[in-house]
Amino acid sequence: QQPVQSPQAVILREGEDAVINCSSSKALYSVHWYRQKHGEAPVFLMILLKGGEQKGHEKISASFNEKKQQSSLYLTASQLSYSGTYFCGTAGGSGNTGKLIFGQGTTLQVKP
Amino acid sequence: DTGVSQDPRHKITKRGQNVTFRCDPISEHNRLYWYRQTLGQGPEFLTYFQNEAQLEKSRLLSDRFSAERPKGSFSTLEIQRTEQGDSAMYLCASSPGQGENTGELFFGEGSRLTVL
C-alpha cells in the first residue's frame, strides 16, 4: 500500500525550515528518501532502517518512528538547490531494499 | 560517465506498436530494477533482476510487458501492442550486490514514452 506524504507542496524562502512527513498503514522495514528535480533522475538522500538511528546529511536529516510507521524529513536553513520533489519509499521485510513503494511526492519550492 | 544510462530518452509511438527500451546499469552492480513513473506520481516498481535472473515482477504488470537481462549486464524492457495508458517515464535503477548494498538505488534519467 502506497505511503502517504504530507504536505503535497511547500513554498519556502531561502533559510527557512521544512518538514515532510511519510506515513504507512503497513509495518515498515525501511524508509528511503529521494529527491527528484524536474526532468532529472531521482537521487538518493538517505535510508532509515528499523531499529536504526536518525540519519543526517548536512542540513537534511530524517527520523523513523517504527511504532507509528512514520518517517519525517527535516530540511533546515533551506537553499535554492533544495527545490524539487521529495519522495519517500518504503520496503517491507523481504530485505530487498530496491523494491520500493513510493509515496506521491512533496513538491518543495525554495525562493530567494 | 559511469552512471545508469537509458536509451532512447524519448519515444513517440502509435497505439498498437511495440517499443523496446534499453538500460545499461553501473558496471559492477548486479541488481537492476525497472520502475514506471507517471506525471505527479512517485515511481512504481515493475520488475527486478539479480544478475540475469528476473526475481520479481509486479502483479500489476500486464502480459504485454517483458523484460530481459540476458548476460547480467544491460537490460531491455519491451512493451507489446502499446496502449495510451502506457504513456509514462520508464526508469531503470541499479544497485550493488547484497554485501555492498547500502540500500541506495542509482536511477537513470529515464525513457519517456508517449503513445498516440
Side-chain angles (χ1 to χ4, degrees):
Chain A
Q1 198 154 359
Q2 186 180 36
V4 176
Q5 291 185 230
S6 62
Q8 288 191 335
V10 185
I11 300 175
L12 298 174
R13 293 284 180 191
E14 261 188 303
E16 293 181 338
D17 302 340
V19 180
I20 300 172
N21 299 303
C22 173
S23 63
S24 173
S25 59
K26 290 183 68 173
L28 299 176
Y29 174 79
S30 59
V31 178
H32 308 231
W33 286 96
Y34 284 79
R35 176 172 60 209
Q36 185 177 31
K37 294 181 181 284
H38 183 69
E40 297 182 9
V43 174
F44 177 79
L45 294 175
M46 64 189 75
I47 177 175
L48 297 104
L49 300 176
K50 186 176 179 179
E53 297 177 354
Q54 180 167 335
K55 294 276 192 168
H57 175 67
E58 295 184 350
K59 297 177 181 175
I60 300 177
S61 62
S63 63
F64 181 15
N65 186 323
E66 299 162 30
K67 288 185 180 179
K68 292 186 176 180
Q69 292 158 193
Q70 289 178 345
S71 178
S72 295
L73 186 72
Y74 307 95
L75 301 105
T76 57
S78 58
Q79 305 168 12
L80 294 176
S81 61
Y82 287 4
S83 293
T85 301
Y86 290 78
F87 294 100
C88 69
T90 58
S94 68
N96 182 355
T97 54
K99 181 187 174 186
L100 299 176
I101 302 173
F102 283 96
Q104 80 281 17
T106 296
T107 301
L108 176 70
Q109 185 180 4
V110 181
K111 294 186 172 182
Chain B
D1 184 20
T2 56
V4 177
S5 63
Q6 295 188 242
D7 183 70
R9 294 292 310 280
H10 302 273
K11 179 72 176 179
I12 300 174
T13 191
K14 292 183 179 179
R15 189 178 55 185
Q17 298 294 305
N18 299 344
V19 296
T20 300
F21 301 116
R22 176 180 169 125
C23 170
D24 287 272
I26 294 171
S27 59
E28 60 269 24
H29 288 182
N30 60 20
R31 294 184 174 186
L32 186 146
Y33 301 82
W34 285 99
Y35 280 81
R36 174 172 60 193
Q37 186 176 27
T38 53
L39 198 62
Q41 295 296 317
E44 175 192 18
F45 171 80
L46 295 180
T47 190
Y48 152 61
F49 290 85
Q50 178 141 330
N51 299 311
E52 66 276 8
Q54 187 174 19
L55 296 186
E56 283 197 66
K57 190 174 174 182
S58 169
R59 282 174 285 179
L60 301 175
L61 203 59
S62 159
D63 289 344
R64 297 182 296 104
F65 287 70
S66 62
E68 292 183 340
R69 194 182 183 197
K71 295 182 180 179
S73 56
F74 72 92
S75 175
T76 57
L77 177 69
E78 182 182 18
I79 309 173
Q80 296 183 325
R81 304 181 303 281
T82 52
E83 301 173 357
Q84 288 183 326
D86 298 332
S87 296
M89 177 73 83
Y90 290 85
L91 293 166
C92 177
S94 68
S95 70
Q98 194 150 2
E100 306 149 29
N101 192 354
T102 62
E104 178 176 357
L105 290 177
F106 295 80
F107 280 93
E109 293 193 326
S111 293
R112 180 169 295 284
L113 174 65
T114 302
V115 182
L116 302 176

